[in-house]
Amino acid sequence: MTGRFANIIVDISHEKVDRPFQYRIPEALEGQLEVGMAVMIPFGLGNKRIKGYVMEITDRAEYDEHKLKAVDSIVKDGVSAQSDSMKLAGWIRENYGSTMIAALKTVLPVKRKLKQVVRKTIVCKVDTDTAAASAEEFAKKHQNAKARLMHELARQPALPHTLVTGKLNVTAQTIQALEKAGFIEVQAEGAYRKVLPENIAAINNWQKKQLSEHQRAIVDSIMQDFKADVRRTYLIHGVTGSGKTEVYMELIEQMMDEGRQAIMLIPEIALTYQTLVRFYRRFGDRVSVMNSRLSAGERSDQYERAARGDIDIMIGPRSALFTPFERLGLVIIDEEHESSYKSESMPKYHAREVAGELCRMKNASLVLGSATPSIESYYRAKMGSIKLFTLKERLAGGQLPQVYVEDLRSELKSGNRSIFSRRLYGLINDRLKKGEQTILFLNRRGYAGFVSCRACGHVMKCPHCDVSLSEHTDRYRNMSRLVCHYCGFSMQGVTNCPQCGSKYILGFRAGTQQIEELLHREFPSARVLRMDADTTKSKDSYEQILSQFANEEADILVGTQMIVKGHDFAKVTLVGILAADMSLHAGDYRAGERTFQLLTQAAGRAGRSTLPGEVVIQTYQPEHYAVVHAANQDYEHFFAEEIAYRDLMMYPPVAHMMAVLVLSDDEKAGAVQAQALAARVKQQFDDKRLVMIGPTEACIGKINDVYRYIFYIKHREYQILTAVKDALEQTIHAMQWNTDSVQFDFDPMNTY
Ligand code: ADP
Ligand code: ZN
Ligand code: ZN
């Protein structure tokens, strides 16, 4: 790329410098700079050397060219952004509100190139029987080192080089000789760090599945569009086990035949060894994976391999979306309803939407898949902008479980104050006798201290927002207040239920630990495993607990939402959902959706094999539509009721919502700032259809001594919200506030 000047964005996240600065390209760097490259530049009065990214190279000087400073150098190990990534960063900045540098860092998940390492593997080139036979031959000839190695390879067809020369004590000459004779091959793991699990190369007993008629129809339809140059978004709605992954793989393969590459997003928690093996079997070295467990070096290598076109498929969580594929043709988002696809730090982008933009830029197709599609995607499918496919049957056998909904109110009436309903208690006992396994699921997601009546199920709600009020305890005065997370409405805590007068109205508190203790007391012979944030702190503990349970080292697994994902346990025939209500009252508009998803998924854990399964859903609100439809595995009816509620209350996706979070070290200043921003909106947007909630103190009013204020804006048109955001950014700029002090969140997943 030629040109004498470079417009560079500096690596400082601040509103004041959130624009490109122009530099002269010195002779020494002529012809070497490229858009996206990381460079060092002198900046500010002291001409301190800082990092920046080249946004544009041009022949046009915007200022007196003699006054322009010169680019200092190219960052040697810098990862350069491709021009598409630059464009995507610009789009993210525009749509979610952040500085350009923050957006740029989002699309560059790898910060710098790291030196590659060489890792050698010794792979057996003959089949197991031949390897064993030759080991004996060598032994007879007293060629003991060769015998040792071949013997080991007969048991395990790929061994790390270090193990062979170390523990097995085989010399380099011996290895060479065996390689020459065709017994083995030494594979230098591309000078790249290996990221697929050890031994995965040895897995080769694989046969391509014949797609069912329904699966075939989906693949054909998408590929026909693709070949006719039609690009769309598709949604595959299919229960777990209905064959979505097979469809994804077939699509990827056909895209590769078209010379295109694919990105597949999977929530990290569902990215299991089994999934990787399936992809690796089919695509071998053309596939790679990104996840948070990779070291910086491993990540850097995968990024490089993708940029060089050495791989065609990238699998990973949210950030894998930014894999720099030149020939991207397909993006798949599995479990598209998962909230982990939304970034929780600035810019708060949603991978589904960014994927849409990326596909537009790259002329690629976007495929979403889920057993419980997000209300957003299903709504778009209903409106016709997404093409919907449905897969109804489980392919690998296993029937849908029998579901019981147990009313905890009537349990109380009949004197049962235990966490376990009588039915659940009886069924746990039954499983212990039969030697089958039970999963107990405590729904704590979005747990927000809602207050409900144990006698009649009445929940204290905000009169303005139709979401549950949260209990905040005032320790000094020993009394509680009930607060709305959206609008700040608050009232004194109640001592009697306003509906039935019962005094059993309280905040719901129970933890997995209490349940574990209770199980030990009630079922002393049962072996219990617990999985929650506490027991999975150390590395691998998550997988460890799951594999212990899979090996039937325990009768009961108690856990939070972590346990409902992915894994199939053949012996699990009972799933108990202890308090389905918890997530119903998270105090935000997605509570119903989240509950439906969790209950449906949890129920799906029972009876995955030939043994029939049973599910007990315990709740104070058996008549709630999320509970009723989850029990029937009836997505359609759930959707119909949920969308009516969203429409009535002007919540997404029917309307849109933007959260504006103001952060300040100073309690007063923060409040004033939030007020000022809200006032600006009211003054500039005289629009009856614009609804503002707040400003108010955020639900968690202070974190790390930073005070938090929040307001929400709702409007049916998304563009109005981005316009409001732009106006607020201007205000922030004009007032010279720190950019980091205000955060925007479009169609938020959580409350603040
Ligand atoms: P999902 O991704 O919807 O959970 P999968 O693609 O993992 O479903 O399929 C579930 C099970 O059914 C897997 O064991 C898979 O190997 C098997 N399966 C999928 N499609 C077929 C098919 N066409 N023929 C036979 N088995 C299939
Ligand atoms: Zn009551
Ligand atoms: Zn409210």
Side-chain angles (χ1 to χ4, degrees):
M1 207 167 288
T2 62
R4 294 160 51 226
F5 307 99
N7 296 332
I8 292 169
I9 189 113
V10 298
D11 193 356
I12 300 174
S13 196
H14 196 286
E15 191 68 30
K16 275 190 214 158
V17 296
D18 192 27
R19 61 174 178 86
F21 290 82
Q22 196 164 56
Y23 284 81
R24 196 162 46 73
I25 300 176
E27 245 170 65
L29 294 181
E30 245 169 51
Q32 291 182 43
L33 279 200
E34 282 174 32
V35 169
M37 266 185 179
V39 290
M40 297 305 286
I41 45 172
F43 193 79
L45 284 177
N47 279 332
K48 212 174 114 195
R49 294 292 183 273
I50 64 166
K51 196 159 107 181
Y53 291 91
V54 179
M55 299 293 289
E56 194 186 0
I57 294 176
T58 171
D59 270 324
R60 199 169 53 87
E62 281 163 18
Y63 305 93
D64 179 357
E65 108 176 49
H66 302 290
K67 288 198 184 142
L68 288 179
K69 297 175 194 170
V71 174
D72 193 79
S73 58
I74 296 173
V75 177
K76 257 234 272 9
D77 305 323
V79 172
S80 54
Q82 298 183 333
S83 64
D84 283 340
S85 305
M86 286 278 183
K87 268 190 240 153
L88 197 59
W91 187 88
I92 288 174
R93 182 196 179 300
E94 194 45 47
N95 280 273
Y96 298 101
S98 75
T99 56
M100 187 60 194
I101 193 71
L104 206 50
K105 285 185 168 168
T106 301
V107 303
L108 284 179
V110 169
K111 302 299 171 255
R112 63 201 168 93
K113 281 185 210 167
L114 290 165
K115 249 179 74 207
Q116 295 169 341
V117 294
V118 181
R119 193 177 297 165
K120 290 195 251 173
T121 308
I122 296 193
V123 180
C124 190
K125 297 298 284 180
V126 294
D127 63 42
T128 313
D129 293 343
T130 317
S134 56
E136 276 176 34
E137 288 293 309
F138 288 130
K140 274 186 205 145
K141 289 189 253 169
H142 301 292
Q143 297 177 329
N144 291 333
K146 285 184 184 172
R148 270 201 307 282
L149 179 52
M150 291 316 293
H151 177 70
E152 206 54 37
L153 284 170
R155 304 190 337 173
Q156 205 169 328
L159 298 167
H161 194 275
T162 46
L163 181 127
V164 173
T165 52
K167 204 169 147 207
L168 290 183
N169 196 15
V170 178
T171 62
Q173 285 98 312
T174 307
I175 293 171
Q176 246 174 22
L178 281 175
E179 191 171 21
K180 250 198 190 142
F183 284 104
I184 60 168
E185 186 183 38
V186 181
Q187 292 180 349
E189 255 324 312
Y192 290 115
R193 291 166 185 84
K194 197 166 147 185
V195 294
L196 290 163
E198 298 284 337
N199 298 330
I200 205 166
I203 300 159
N204 48 21
N205 54 335
W206 172 74
Q207 257 191 332
K208 197 164 157 175
K209 292 210 166 56
Q210 195 72 28
L211 291 189
S212 73
E213 197 185 317
H214 294 296
Q215 289 171 316
R216 169 67 47 207
I218 297 173
V219 172
D220 287 350
S221 168
I222 295 173
M223 289 314 295
Q224 258 165 30
D225 278 355
F226 189 85
K227 287 175 190 165
D229 224 16
V230 174
R231 299 292 182 270
R232 303 196 55 167
T233 302
Y234 307 87
L235 170 63
I236 305 175
H237 177 200
V239 296
T240 313
S242 61
K244 296 185 295 297
T245 308
E246 282 304 315
V247 170
Y248 303 152
M249 291 197 288
E250 182 63 24
L251 280 170
I252 291 171
E253 188 169 320
Q254 296 203 17
M255 281 293 173
M256 285 167 69
D257 291 343
E258 297 290 311
R260 305 294 286 261
Q261 295 160 312
I263 294 171
M264 175 156 132
L265 303 187
I266 304 189
E268 179 123 27
I269 200 157
L271 187 54
T272 57
Y273 179 77
Q274 283 87 339
T275 310
L276 287 181
V277 169
R278 265 173 98 179
F279 276 80
Y280 193 83
R281 271 185 202 159
R282 180 140 175 189
F283 299 109
D285 283 334
R286 303 311 296 172
V287 58
S288 184
V289 57
M290 285 252 192
N291 63 47
S292 63
R293 286 193 215 158
L294 299 189
S295 67
E298 288 169 334
R299 293 176 73 84
S300 152
D301 279 4
Q302 305 325 304
Y303 198 83
E304 264 302 281
R305 291 175 72 194
R308 296 189 354 181
D310 288 352
I311 52 173
D312 292 314
I313 307 157
M314 181 60 86
I315 302 179
R318 194 175 67 221
S319 64
L321 189 58
F322 304 112
T323 305
F325 277 144
E326 189 61 43
R327 296 172 281 111
L328 185 68
L330 175 68
V331 175
I332 296 165
I333 305 184
D334 192 29
E335 313 246 17
E336 62 90 29
H337 61 275
E338 271 294 308
S339 58
S340 62
Y341 287 126
K342 176 99 187 243
S343 165
E344 279 175 7
S345 54
M346 288 289 282
K348 298 185 180 181
Y349 70 94
H350 198 299
R352 197 196 307 124
E353 293 165 16
V354 176
E357 179 58 20
L358 178 66
C359 287
R360 262 189 295 283
M361 282 171 44
K362 291 292 209 174
N363 201 26
S365 302
L366 176 58
V367 174
L368 312 174
S370 175
T372 50
S374 64
I375 296 295
E376 270 93 346
S377 297
Y378 210 72
Y379 181 67
R380 285 185 208 166
K382 290 266 176 193
M383 304 298 277
S385 65
I386 288 182
K387 190 160 172 180
L388 178 67
F389 299 107
T390 311
L391 286 173
K392 291 218 167 68
E393 296 113 46
R394 277 182 176 175
L395 287 165
Q399 316 125 17
L400 291 176
Q402 166 80 43
V403 181
Y404 306 98
V405 176
E406 292 304 309
D407 186 343
L408 290 175
R409 295 169 304 188
S410 42
E411 293 293 319
L412 185 74
K413 271 199 203 111
S414 43
N416 176 15
R417 294 219 208 139
S418 151
I419 293 178
F420 305 123
S421 62
R422 287 159 298 175
R423 182 182 305 267
L424 183 57
Y425 189 92
L427 289 177
I428 294 175
N429 242 334
D430 173 66
R431 294 315 190 266
L432 289 173
K433 282 201 198 102
K434 284 199 231 154
E436 293 172 6
Q437 290 177 300
T438 298
I439 288 181
L440 295 178
F441 168 54
L442 183 65
N443 184 356
R444 279 181 73 81
R445 179 172 279 179
Y447 173 59
F450 70 95
V451 171
S452 69
C453 172
R454 296 290 147 86
C456 77
H458 179 75
V459 173
M460 300 299 292
K461 283 191 168 181
C462 172
H464 311 295
C465 305
D466 201 28
V467 298
S468 337
L469 295 170
S470 299
E471 188 175 36
H472 290 226
T473 317
D474 185 334
R475 257 165 291 141
Y476 303 106
R477 280 177 289 174
N478 194 21
M479 55 188 264
S480 77
R481 291 198 73 72
L482 302 178
V483 181
C484 172
H485 289 170
Y486 279 163
C487 72
F489 168 86
S490 96
M491 61 181 279
Q492 205 174 354
V494 290
T495 46
N496 289 88
C497 172
Q499 187 151 302
C500 76
S502 159
K503 61 182 184 351
Y504 290 107
I505 181 158
L506 10 111
F508 198 103
R509 293 206 180 80
T512 40
Q513 206 171 342
Q514 280 110 295
I515 292 165
E516 190 186 10
E517 284 161 15
L518 185 67
L519 283 169
H520 285 314
R521 251 179 288 139
E522 301 274 340
F523 309 99
S525 70
R527 296 162 304 161
V528 182
L529 276 171
R530 172 161 67 98
M531 181 146 92
D532 56 23
D534 288 336
T535 60
T536 53
K537 270 192 196 119
S538 71
K539 207 183 158 208
D540 299 332
S541 50
Y542 172 74
E543 295 272 346
Q544 236 167 49
I545 295 173
L546 288 176
S547 72
Q548 272 176 293
F549 193 58
N551 293 336
E552 293 174 44
E553 289 165 38
D555 306 300
I556 304 176
L557 174 64
V558 188
T560 53
Q561 52 269 11
M562 279 181 200
I563 62 178
V564 303
K565 290 271 151 55
H567 290 258
D568 285 352
F569 304 103
K571 275 285 181 71
V572 172
T573 56
L574 174 63
V575 170
I577 297 161
L578 296 174
D581 304 63
M582 284 246 195
S583 60
L584 269 182
H585 305 299
D588 71 303
Y589 71 89
R590 290 182 194 271
E593 177 178 7
R594 213 173 286 131
T595 302
F596 178 83
Q597 287 163 354
L598 280 169
L599 296 186
T600 312
Q601 276 172 4
R605 292 296 102 197
R608 295 304 296 270
S609 68
T610 43
L611 297 170
E614 288 177 302
V615 176
V616 179
I617 298 177
Q618 303 191 149
T619 173
Y620 290 101
Q621 282 184 287
E623 69 287 347
H624 191 286
Y625 64 93
V627 175
V628 172
H629 298 314
N632 294 328
Q633 308 265 320
D634 183 350
Y635 183 87
E636 279 292 331
H637 281 97
F638 167 72
F639 176 81
E641 292 202 41
E642 181 67 19
I643 204 75
Y645 156 72
R646 303 278 179 100
D647 188 32
L648 184 71
M649 298 302 295
M650 267 186 80
Y651 288 130
V654 184
H656 293 283
M657 191 165 178
M658 174 174 71
V660 182
L661 178 68
V662 178
L663 305 169
S664 176
D665 296 340
D666 185 284
E667 191 170 1
K668 267 246 174 67
V672 169
Q673 223 167 326
Q675 289 293 349
L677 291 175
R680 164 86 194 247
V681 178
K682 283 196 185 119
Q683 169 213 335
Q684 189 173 336
F685 295 85
D686 183 22
D687 180 343
K688 287 218 167 53
R689 294 172 308 156
L690 184 148
V691 178
M692 186 186 297
I693 321 178
T696 171
E697 198 181 307
C699 149
I700 304 174
K702 189 165 82 167
I703 296 178
N704 279 336
D705 285 327
V706 174
Y707 293 87
R708 296 150 55 89
Y709 295 87
I710 185 80
F711 62 98
Y712 295 90
I713 294 169
K714 294 195 280 189
H715 200 284
R716 293 204 180 248
E717 284 166 50
Y718 196 90
Q719 292 89 318
I720 303 285
L721 295 185
T722 42
V724 170
K725 178 219 44 164
D726 290 345
L728 293 180
E729 280 181 340
Q730 275 171 20
T731 306
I732 295 162
H733 189 65
M735 306 292 268
Q736 305 211 346
W737 290 336
N738 188 342
T739 343
D740 296 340
S741 66
V742 181
Q743 299 191 351
F744 302 99
D745 190 350
F746 288 83
D747 292 353
M749 303 298 271
N750 306 302
T751 44
Y752 287 91

